[in-house]
Structures are given as C-alpha cells and as structure tokens.
Amino acid sequence: MTPAHFTFSSTFILGLMGLALHRTHLLSALLCLEGMMLSLYMALSLWTFELSSISFTPSPLMLLAFSACEASAGLALLVATSRTHGTDQLKALNILQC
Amino acid sequence: MHPTLLMMTTTLLIIFTLLAIPIISTLSPQPLSTSWPLTSVKTAVKMSFLTSLLPLFLFLNEGTEAIITTWSWMNSYTFDISISLKFDLYSILFTPIALYVTWSILEFASWYMHSDPYISRFFKYLLLFLIAMIVLVTANNMFQLFIGWEGVGIMSFLLIGWWYGRADANAAALQAVLYNRVGDIGLVLAMAWMAMNLNSWEMTQIFTIAESKDLTLPLMGLVLAATGKSAQFGLHPWLPSAMEGPTPVSALLHSSTMVVAGVFLLIRLSPLMEGNNTVLTTCLCLGALTTLFTALCALTQNDIKKIVAFSTSSQLGLMMVTIGLNQPQLAFLHICTHAFFKAMLFLCSGSIIHSLNDEQDIRKMGGLHQLTPFTSSSLTLGSLALTGTPFLAGFFSKDAIIEALNTSYLNAWALVLTLLATSFTAVYSLRVVYFVTMGLPRFTPLPPINENNPSVINPIKRLAWGSIIAGLLITSNMAPIKTPVMTMPPLFKLAALIVTVIGLLLALELALLASKQLFMSPKRSPHLFSNMLGFFPTLIHRLPPNLSLVLGQNIASQTIDLTWLEKVGPKASSTLNLPLITSTSNAQKGAIKTFLMLFTLTLTLVLLTLL
C-alpha cells in the first residue's frame, strides 16, 4: 500500500475506533466523525487522481459540503443535549435504560 | 400313640400351662393378694419343676426326644412358620435346671424383696422372663427363638431398671438394651440369610440343606448375637452394669439363664459350625480374650456383686472357647453346672448385703464366718465349685474343657489365655472369701445379721446340693456325642488343677502381704487398668457415640440439607442465574457506548470474514 493510502486508511480506522470506543464526551465522538470525513475526503481525491476519472472530480468537494451539514447537525444535537441534560457526558444519555 | 411319647408331650405342654396360669390370673380386675407371689408364682414354678422331671427321667431311661408342632402360624406359598417345640437333650436337661434355680431364687426373692410394695409385679416380671427363656430354649425354629430372645432382653431391661428412681439403674438398663440390640443385628442377619438361602426357619430343614453352602456370613451373625447376649469382649460392659438390679434379678438373669442364651444359640446351631474353621477360630479367640479380660477386671473390683458378675463373664468366655473347640456338649455341661454355683454365689451375696444393711463393698465386710456361718460356708462352697475343685460340680465341666483345650491342635495363644484366666479365677475367688468371711469385722456395729429365715436358708441349701452333686449326676447320665481324648501326659491332665493351686497360693501370699509395706508407694497403673475395667467403658461410651452423632448431624442433616437447598435446588438456580442476569442487564443499559462498540465489533467481524 502506498504511504498515502496507508495514511488515510489508518486515519479512517482510527477515527472509527475513536467514534466507537470514546469514553466521556459526545464532542469527542463528533470530532472523530470529522476526522473520518477528512480521511474520506483524502481518499476520494486520491482515487479520482489515480483512476484518472474526470466525472468524479467534484466528489471530494460534495463530500465536504455534506460533511459540513452533518457536522452542523451533530453540533445541533450536542447543543440540544447540553440544554436538556445539562452536560454532554455520555453517561447522561441513558433514557433508554430499562 | 406310644405311651412314652404321650406322657412326654403331655407333661411338656403342662409345664407351659402351669407357668402361664399366674400370668393370666393377673389379667383379672381383682387386685392380687399380698401372698400371691408365694402362693401362686412360686408354687407354679415348683410344680413345673417337678413336672419337668418326668420327661427328664423318660429321656434318661429311654432316650426319647420329642418335637411338638402345634399351630401353623403363618403359611405362605413358599415359607411356613409354625409353633414348634423341640425337646432334645439340651432343652430336656436345661428346663428342669432352670426351673429348679428359678424356684430357689423366687423363694429367696420373697425374703429379699418383702418390703417392696410392688413385689407382685416383680414376681410377674420374673415369671415372664422364665417363660421367655423356656420359649427360647425349646424353640425349633428361628422365629420362636427370636421371640424368646427379645423377650428375655425386654424383661432384663425392666428388671435391671427395677429401682428406676436411681439414675445409675436407668443407665444400666439402657446399656443392656443397647448392647443386646447390637447383637440382635447379627441374629436378624442370620435369620434373613437363612430365609433367603435355605427357605426355612425350621432347624431340621436348616441342618439338612445347609451342608452344601458357604455359611460364614450367617455364622458370623450368630457369633455377633452371642457376643451381645453373652457379654463377650466388645459388647461386655452391660453385664457388670446390670448389677444395679436387685440381687434375685442378678442371680436369675445375669448368671444362670439369660446370659447363657447366646451360648445356647451357638450350641443349638453347632452342626452348622462344625466345618467352618474361620468361625470356630473366631469363637475360640473371642472367648479366650473375654475370659482373660474379665477375669483381669474382676481382680480389683470392690463390689461383691461386680466380682461375681465378672466371674460370670469369664465363665461365659470359657463356654465360648469350648464352642470354638467344636465341643458344644461340654459347653452345655458347663452351662448346667455353672447355673447352680453362680446362682448360689449371688444368693449368698444378697444375704450378706441385706445382713450388713445394704453394704456391698467387700472392704467393709469381714469376719462373717463367725457371724453368718451358713452363708459364708455356702459362699466358700460356691467359690470352690467355681474354681473347679475336684468332684464338685464345676470340676466335671471345667476340667473336661481344659483337657479338651490341651489335647487339641488349636491356637496356643487361646490356650495360654484360658489357663491364665483359670488361675485368676482362683485369685479373685480367694479375694472374695478372704475379705468377706475371714479376719475381723470392718463394718459398723449392730448390723441386722440374721440368717434364720427359712426362705433364705432353704434356697441356698438346695443350690448347694446342686453345686455338689449336679456335675456328677449330669456326666454320669449324659452320653458324650464326641469321644473325649482320654490319654494325655500327666501335666496336661493336671494343668487346670496346677494352675488353680498356683493362683490360690499367689492370692494367699498377696493377702498376707497387706500387713507389710514392701514399696514406698503403690504401683498405680496395673491396678488402675484393672479397676477401671480396662478403660473400655470410659472410652467407648462417650467418644464414639459423640463422634457418630456429630457426624450424623453434620453430614446427614446439615450438609445434605444445605446441599439440596443451596447447591442443587432453588437457591442454586438463583445463584447461577444472577451473574448472567447482571451482565446481560449491564450490557443493555441503553448506553450509547455499548451500541457503538457493538457496531465496531460487527463491522470488524464482517471485514475479517470478507478478507
């Protein structure tokens, strides 16, 4: 695997792990999500360039736009959570507990 | 029917009827008169004795033996039990002797117990015991023998605990029942084996069929039964404890009749034991050990009744040795002669005890030869008969046994023990006679010494006559089934006599040593071992029952209940399920972390399977 491939693959996996295995704050999950988005951006750019496919050239930029929307959605959820629960700690999100 | 047989069977059934009449007369609602014991019970026994002499003479004259089967009791398709009475040599000879001894004891008891308000009940118990004993002795099947066996056991319990206000008497009665019960296990084992393998409890059938089978198991059961009932070593402590009962009880049950029931059982079933060397050796060694151990214990006892009780136990061991020598007839001869002098020894002890105002310690008696000449003479006579003085009753049986022991190719250890026990017999007999009759009185002045009552004199006189001539009479009239060895070196022939004389001289020397002081302080340990009965009751009566009960409590109730409740049953399901439930509900708390973790996990798994 070329170093660039290796970099964004490992970033993606690390970000996934960080999303799944974070400990306390929701914000760290969202940050990891952003990290994953960035690695996906790099991946798309690299593949478009490698495969010399012209029609996929705008895809990284579209991904960035959608990731911005998604980041804002996540932040809105964060703000809503901190308004209702008073904290963004994940332990507070236990309303589904039996 | 042949006239002899008719006379025989009629008289034998009359004996049972005569003995049952006083018992049935107690069932009426009228209270009994105060002279009921003497007029009814003693007369019944006396009449039964005189009646039983007729079958005895018929047997001696013509050799008739009878088996009377009267009533079919339980009959199933494969197994029959009926009331069947066997009158062969053993029961025809034993019944008159038992009745004679009982007659004397009842007459004595009317004097001994005359101040007891329940004397009628006492006599009733004694009569019930006698009936049970006769049932045992005349039984032709094991079931009837078992009825007699249990009957004598129960009457022994009731009679030992006669003065039930005394804690020691209750403990002694309980000891008797418990030790007998352990022996009964052996008897029931033998009966069950016989019912299963020989299909019958009738003795004739048992003797016929049992030739071809391996009989070690039932015979060991019978030896266990004899160990319990006849106080052999291991199950012996109840016999000296049984001296808590009144002296007539000791004289009847625990010297002449009940304790010989175990030996009698082995004599009855001796045809089964003839081929089985294991069982014979067991009997031999057990008997030898018993006779030596109890004679050893008798050497240092201070209660006159306990000494006589241990003497009985020692003679029972000797009877067991004889059975181990495969000589049942000699054992039976010893039973018959022993009954006379042992009962007489007990009656003399009772007379002395009452005369000295209920004093039983021989260290507090003395000089009774001048004060109660008749009783002390009969005590001396009984002791001489016991040690086997030539031509008294005990000589014929005891000397024959020692001769048979000397001339047989058997266990030399058993022989040595028995000879040693014979010399000890002389020692403790001399000790009793020395302390009781000789020397100067060691009791407080003015005891109510009175032997002028004919109810005391006549029984002892009768038994004294028996002690003198019974041995001669029985051996002259009873044909031996096994030929005795007649020629042996003179040392063997005189072995019993030499050993007895040595014992006598040693005892005399020891008695005269009491006025000299050879050591600074006495040596305690041999005396203590003998006085504490070898520490057998001390060790066995507390520790093993305590251990068994604690074990039972811990294992049977607590551990098993605990296991069933907590490890196997309801609590186990809860304790096993609880961790599972906890971990499952921990995983399902609705936490986002869990969801995300599961997400990565499944993703990883899928990726791994795809790659």
Side-chain angles (χ1 to χ4, degrees), chain B residues 538-555:
Chain B
T538 325
L539 291 173
I540 301 288
H541 284 173
R542 295 287 170 204
L543 191 63
N546 191 23
L547 282 178
S548 318
L549 288 174
V550 164
L551 200 71
Q553 183 188 33
N554 278 343
I555 291 188

Side-chain angles (χ1 to χ4, degrees), chain B residues 399 402-403 406 485-497:
Chain B
D399 210 62
I402 304 280
E403 275 178 25
N406 273 327
V485 174
M486 289 296 191
T487 52
M488 61 194 89
L491 185 63
F492 283 2
K493 190 87 180 158
L494 297 171
L497 207 54

Side-chain angles (χ1 to χ4, degrees), chain B residues 602-611:
Chain B
T602 46
L603 193 63
T604 324
L605 280 173
V606 166
L607 282 175
L608 282 175
T609 53
L610 281 181
L611 285 175

Side-chain angles (χ1 to χ4, degrees), chain B residues 69-248:
Chain B
T69 309
T70 53
W71 183 46
S72 295
W73 195 341
M74 290 175 241
N75 294 89
S76 69
Y77 192 60
T78 46
F79 200 81
D80 292 338
I81 300 178
S82 45
I83 294 187
S84 182
L85 307 164
K86 178 171 178 157
F87 291 98
D88 63 341
L89 163 71
Y90 299 131
S91 36
I92 290 184
L93 202 47
F94 188 77
T95 312
I97 292 176
L99 287 169
Y100 184 73
V101 170
T102 311
W103 170 29
S104 308
I105 290 174
L106 286 177
E107 197 175 336
F108 180 82
S110 69
W111 170 77
Y112 195 81
M113 307 289 290
H114 84 279
S115 60
D116 195 316
Y118 298 113
I119 186 173
S120 303
R121 193 192 295 174
F122 187 74
F123 271 65
K124 182 167 126 174
Y125 284 178
L126 284 177
L127 190 58
L128 274 174
F129 165 80
L130 182 67
I131 294 175
M133 189 70 204
I134 305 237
V135 164
L136 194 156
V137 161
T138 57
N140 194 26
N141 54 9
M142 299 294 291
F143 191 63
Q144 219 171 306
L145 194 134
F146 189 65
I147 292 176
W149 188 273
E150 293 297 310
V152 299
I154 283 292
M155 297 325 291
S156 166
F157 169 75
L158 289 173
L159 283 166
I160 294 174
W162 178 254
W163 290 313
Y164 53 79
R166 205 178 134 82
D168 283 341
N170 285 332
L174 205 58
Q175 251 184 313
V177 165
L178 289 174
Y179 275 115
N180 274 339
R181 250 305 164 250
V182 176
D184 288 350
I185 295 174
L187 186 57
V188 172
L189 171 71
M191 282 170 69
W193 189 94
M194 284 177 193
M196 286 194 328
N197 292 356
L198 306 176
N199 191 32
S200 172
W201 276 339
E202 298 282 325
M203 297 217 181
T204 32
Q205 188 168 342
I206 290 173
F207 293 150
T208 327
I209 298 182
E211 306 290 314
S212 52
K213 295 191 195 290
D214 177 28
L215 293 165
T216 315
L217 184 64
L219 289 175
M220 281 303 186
L222 292 177
V223 169
L224 180 63
T227 312
K229 192 64 97 180
S230 295
Q232 302 298 307
F233 183 77
L235 298 176
H236 66 279
W238 69 271
L239 189 52
S241 304
M243 297 298 116
E244 293 286 335
T247 308

Side-chain angles (χ1 to χ4, degrees), chain A residues 16-17 19-23 90 93-94 96-98, chain B residues 588-593 595-597 599-600 603-604:
Chain A
L16 192 61
M17 288 293 131
L19 174 66
L21 305 172
H22 58 271
R23 289 176 68 193
L90 286 163
L93 303 175
N94 57 359
L96 283 174
Q97 182 184 359
C98 58
Chain B
Q588 288 180 339
K589 277 209 167 77
I592 296 187
K593 280 163 61 172
F595 292 145
L596 290 172
M597 191 146 2
F599 161 69
T600 46
L603 193 63
T604 324

Side-chain angles (χ1 to χ4, degrees), chain B residues 332-344:
Chain B
F332 180 71
L333 178 64
H334 197 55
I335 288 180
C336 295
T337 52
H338 174 260
F340 287 104
F341 52 77
K342 198 45 68 71
M344 184 168 77

